[in-house]
Amino acid sequence: MKLQEIVPWGRTLEEYVRMFALTPKDLTSKILGVGDGPASFNAEMTAMNGQVISIDPVYAFSAQQIEQRVQQTYPAIVDQIRVTADGYRWDQFKDAYELGQYRLTAMKRFLSDYPTGKQQGRYLANQLPTLPFADRFFDLSVCSHLLFLYSKHLSEQVHYDSIKELVRVSNEVRIFPLQTLEGEQSPYLDSIVKALTDESIQVDRVPVAYEFQRGANEMLRIRFAD
Ligand SMILES: C[S@@+](CC[C@H](N)C(=O)[O-])C[C@H]1O[C@@H](n2cnc3c(N)ncnc32)[C@H](O)[C@@H]1O
């Protein structure tokens, strides 16, 4: 991945809790954050004695390089959201600017934790569909705003292989959202749910208390059937 291809945009622990319906018990479990990028999830969890490892190809870059890229891309992202504001619900944020400030705060929180977290092995430069972890190494994997959202960029086969890999390394997998960037349900969702179900993997669409992109208010929960 080249630095110029990266569009950093990071969410917070509070948002992860709502997107993935994380319970107090979930928060004490061993978690893999998949494609966490510049989210402050890992930093905030670590400050609360949580156990999170984040993987993302962007972690091949230094804090300075990621920060530079945040500064370069931030105005255009806010502008893009402003122009397409009708596609979003504005109950939490007043407007694109306020949302942008919230994201910037999250990214700054990430950047201040990143050098230490990298040394501690909490930020690993890896990418789906292949991960360097033993079977069932994690209790839970969470994947925010990557799989299904980027259906135009990642093929159905990559989605399937990625989910199978996440099921291998963790007892449970949660993915949010199920919508594409264009706001439609991912064209891969139904066939992937069927393929996993045919393999005796339990898959549930679970409504969650998070909706920013209109209509995107469900996560996929995947685990081996009891
Ligand atoms: C839209 S960002 C979401 C960041 C964070 N999860 C959040 O919700 O705030 C998508 C992230 O996925 C990462 N990514 C792209 N391809 C990936 C892959 N194959 N495996 C893991 N992460 C990937 C990108 O580098 C980027 O940081």
Side-chain angles (χ1 to χ4, degrees):
M1 183 179 260
K2 297 192 187 100
L3 191 58
Q4 297 88 322
E5 291 167 5
I6 295 164
V7 184
W9 203 234
R11 291 168 186 79
T12 59
L13 169 60
E14 185 274 326
E15 292 180 289
Y16 271 61
V17 165
R18 285 191 290 126
M19 288 187 288
F20 298 114
L22 296 174
T23 63
K25 184 163 178 278
D26 291 332
L27 294 174
T28 61
S29 63
K30 197 165 172 182
I31 301 178
L32 174 65
V34 183
D36 273 346
S40 59
F41 175 61
N42 190 323
E44 293 184 75
M45 283 290 287
T46 302
M48 291 170 30
N49 291 320
Q51 308 170 67
V52 177
I53 291 180
S54 300
I55 61 122
D56 196 301
V58 86
Y59 302 150
F61 297 98
S62 68
Q64 199 186 10
Q65 287 172 310
I66 299 174
E67 182 167 18
Q68 211 173 41
R69 193 65 194 147
V70 169
Q71 300 303 339
Q72 276 172 2
T73 54
Y74 172 81
I77 306 176
V78 170
D79 210 44
Q80 169 72 15
I81 292 174
R82 194 180 51 74
V83 170
T84 56
D86 285 352
Y88 302 97
R89 287 184 57 150
W90 295 99
D91 355 73
Q92 185 181 0
F93 305 105
K94 193 169 77 200
D95 54 25
Y97 179 76
E98 195 176 279
L99 167 74
Q101 290 301 307
Y102 187 79
R103 295 268 168 274
L104 265 190
T105 307
M107 291 192 278
K108 282 182 187 154
R109 182 83 201 263
F110 157 78
L111 285 166
S112 64
D113 177 56
Y114 180 59
T116 313
K118 222 173 165 179
Q119 267 177 8
Q120 295 173 340
R122 289 188 286 110
Y123 294 110
L124 300 176
N126 290 119
Q127 64 186 68
L128 290 171
T130 310
L131 298 174
F133 304 111
D135 294 359
R136 302 274 178 275
F137 189 71
F138 297 95
D139 299 311
L140 175 64
S141 289
V142 293
C143 180
S144 155
H145 292 83
L146 172 60
L147 292 174
F148 298 124
L149 185 69
Y150 288 96
S151 290
K152 268 207 176 147
H153 305 76
L154 304 171
S155 68
E156 179 167 355
Q157 189 65 47
V158 168
H159 276 72
Y160 174 78
D161 292 345
S162 296
I163 293 172
K164 285 297 297 273
E165 183 70 338
L166 292 172
V167 168
R168 181 185 71 75
V169 303
S170 49
N171 289 324
E172 185 174 327
V173 180
R174 299 183 195 175
I175 303 172
F176 180 94
L178 311 182
Q179 256 77 347
T180 65
L181 280 174
E182 294 73 34
E184 309 288 338
Q185 176 180 299
S186 165
Y188 310 143
L189 184 64
D190 290 340
S191 50
I192 284 185
V193 169
K194 181 170 184 324
L196 295 172
T197 307
D198 286 349
E199 295 173 51
S200 296
I201 296 170
Q202 187 179 334
V203 186
D204 299 293
R205 288 174 71 151
V206 182
V208 293
Y210 185 98
E211 182 177 348
F212 180 54
Q213 189 187 20
R214 285 189 187 280
N217 53 14
E218 284 179 306
M219 69 161 166
L220 206 61
R221 185 166 62 194
I222 305 159
R223 52 200 167 160
F224 277 106
D226 300 325

